[in-house]
Amino acid sequence: MAASHRPFHHDVFPAHIRYPVLGLTYVLIKPLLWLVERAGYADRFWAAVGRKMKAKMLAGHDFGDYRPSRHDVVVCTFPKCGTNWTMQIAYQIAMRGKGEFRHIHDVIPWPDFARQDLVVPLSDDTARQAAPTGLRVIKTHLEWERIPYTQDARYICILRDPKDAFVSGYLFIRDVMFGPLMPAVPLWLRLFFSDATPFSWSEHLHGYWKDRHLPNLLILTFDEMKQDMAAAAQRIAAFMQVELTPEEFAVVCEKSSFAYMKSIDEKFKPPALTPWSSPNRQMIRRGVSGGSAELLSPEQQDFIDTTCRAELTRIGSDFAYDAVWGNQAGEENTVTAAPSVEQHTG
């Protein structure tokens, strides 16, 4: 279809801008940041940066006056919690396995993204018209309370271990935004649980979890999807009320596999947001569950568990954190031990 927006993965900063900025970074900016850290002001500096980013990200970037209809399947996730994977599954189901695109955001709107010039707008109905099922997919990272709810639309929320979400998010932000200026893990971990972060993992989960009994809200965990992707795809198809032939379902599963999506990573590639963005930035990285030990120490993993558990208790959530993700520090892949959220619907 003819795109009315710039390519999402467009390299906004060409070489003649990028390389001089990188040179200046290593000669001047990194030494200045080192001095800020030595003086004990690093946390304060990066918190200010985070709050500025947060204000920019949340200022008016939402669904506006749009009300999702029976044609809409809204994929709702905390950042780095299987968003593109779930979008691919849902989009291929909507297209009966025949979905093709130059970039995923040429066919899937993302209303809360600050750069709306890089994504297909909500008002563009081309994807729905092209779908044999009459459905289209919408992406959002917004909390449940900020998404317009209608009984006709369908909402899919994916929950992921916050330790894995933190690691994936840290590496992603480093590659698409800060590059050599990225703060060290301990500092970023402190920011992750402060008011300087645009999203609260606990608040995000609680918003969806408390309304989990709604018939048009489907909640899955990333662990469930990794354990049996075909079963997850079957649940999503049934939820979307799309009956696929065996042949169509096989194609949906093949196109939603890690190997296939990794092979077309360019079609999910994030944009270059700053001159420090890595030219080798990628969206489909490892796709593992329980692999946070690649970046976090056991003590840091325990800190995330303890903090998230306390935050959920503070806000009154009955989500069974320990039964799903607790006490997994240092394990490479615990997906087989993760129970289905259906066992905790209480």
Side-chain angles (χ1 to χ4, degrees):
M1 80 182 180
S4 59
H5 53 279
R6 301 168 70 188
F8 188 78
H9 54 81
H10 179 72
D11 286 315
V12 181
F13 300 93
H16 70 274
I17 294 178
R18 171 178 165 75
Y19 290 116
V21 169
L22 285 176
L24 183 65
T25 296
Y26 284 101
V27 171
L28 180 62
I29 301 178
K30 278 186 70 68
L32 285 175
L33 287 178
W34 180 82
L35 290 175
V36 168
E37 182 175 359
R38 293 284 293 179
Y41 294 111
D43 282 56
R44 186 180 302 179
F45 171 81
W46 282 105
V49 171
R51 292 188 187 101
K52 185 175 182 178
M53 290 172 54
K54 178 179 181 178
K56 184 176 181 180
M57 291 175 65
L58 300 182
H61 300 297
D62 52 29
F63 284 71
D65 296 330
Y66 184 79
R67 303 290 295 174
S69 73
R70 62 186 179 87
H71 302 291
D72 293 323
V73 179
V74 187
V75 173
C76 321
T77 62
F78 187 81
K80 308 309 296 177
C81 289
T83 313
N84 283 273
W85 190 15
T86 310
M87 289 194 304
Q88 174 74 342
I89 293 173
Y91 177 68
Q92 292 302 333
I93 290 171
M95 296 298 293
R96 296 191 174 277
K98 297 181 180 179
E100 298 294 339
F101 45 82
R102 180 183 55 176
H103 191 276
I104 191 70
H105 285 298
D106 289 341
V107 294
I108 295 181
W110 182 6
D112 40 300
F113 184 51
R115 292 292 307 275
Q116 285 296 299
D117 59 313
L118 299 180
V119 299
V120 61
L122 271 174
S123 58
D124 191 325
D125 204 33
T126 309
R128 182 194 65 79
Q129 294 175 359
T133 60
L135 299 172
R136 74 160 175 176
V137 179
I138 299 172
K139 167 187 174 178
T140 182
H141 289 317
L142 293 175
E143 295 88 349
W144 183 231
E145 292 74 15
R146 293 190 64 196
I147 300 173
Y149 173 78
T150 65
Q151 293 182 340
D152 295 329
R154 299 169 182 85
Y155 303 83
I156 303 174
C157 177
I158 307 300
L159 308 179
R160 190 179 189 185
D161 185 333
K163 300 184 290 295
D164 292 343
F166 174 86
V167 169
S168 184
Y170 179 90
L171 298 174
F172 179 78
I173 292 171
R174 181 196 64 188
D175 287 349
V176 303
M177 188 168 296
F178 292 127
L181 302 179
M182 188 69 183
V185 170
L187 193 160
W188 198 255
L189 186 55
R190 293 192 293 273
L191 292 175
F192 188 74
F193 291 106
S194 76
D195 64 355
T197 184
F199 306 99
S200 163
W201 180 90
S202 300
E203 296 281 357
H204 193 282
L205 180 146
H206 177 59
Y208 291 92
W209 185 250
K210 65 181 174 56
D211 283 339
R212 61 192 179 276
H213 298 301
L214 289 172
N216 59 336
L217 171 60
L218 174 65
I219 297 182
L220 297 170
T221 68
F222 188 88
D223 309 83
E224 290 177 280
M225 295 173 67
K226 285 297 297 182
Q227 186 172 13
D228 193 338
M229 191 270 287
Q234 286 177 333
R235 288 186 63 186
I236 293 173
F239 178 72
M240 293 171 61
Q241 298 182 343
V242 176
E243 187 173 343
L244 300 170
T245 67
E247 293 76 18
E248 290 170 339
F249 183 72
V251 175
V252 167
C253 290
E254 191 271 326
K255 286 188 173 181
S256 303
S257 67
F258 177 82
Y260 181 87
M261 291 182 65
K262 184 70 173 177
S263 73
I264 58 169
D265 184 82
E266 185 74 15
K267 296 186 177 184
F268 300 93
K269 186 177 181 179
L273 297 177
T274 71
W276 301 287
S277 298
S278 170
N280 298 318
R281 63 194 181 280
Q282 53 188 327
M283 184 63 77
I284 314 301
R285 193 178 68 91
R286 291 184 63 196
V288 301
S289 178
S292 58
E294 70 170 297
L295 192 66
L296 298 175
S297 69
E299 293 75 20
Q300 289 168 329
Q301 294 174 74
D302 286 339
F303 171 77
I304 292 177
D305 281 335
T306 300
T307 305
C308 288
R309 188 186 300 115
E311 281 294 296
L312 289 172
T313 299
R314 180 187 62 81
I315 59 182
S317 176
D318 63 351
F319 183 80
Y321 184 91
D322 283 330
V324 182
W325 296 309
N327 305 315
Q328 294 183 6
E331 297 181 20
E332 173 61 22
N333 194 331
T334 56
V335 63
T336 57
S340 166
V341 293
E342 290 186 312
Q343 298 178 31
H344 304 286
T345 55

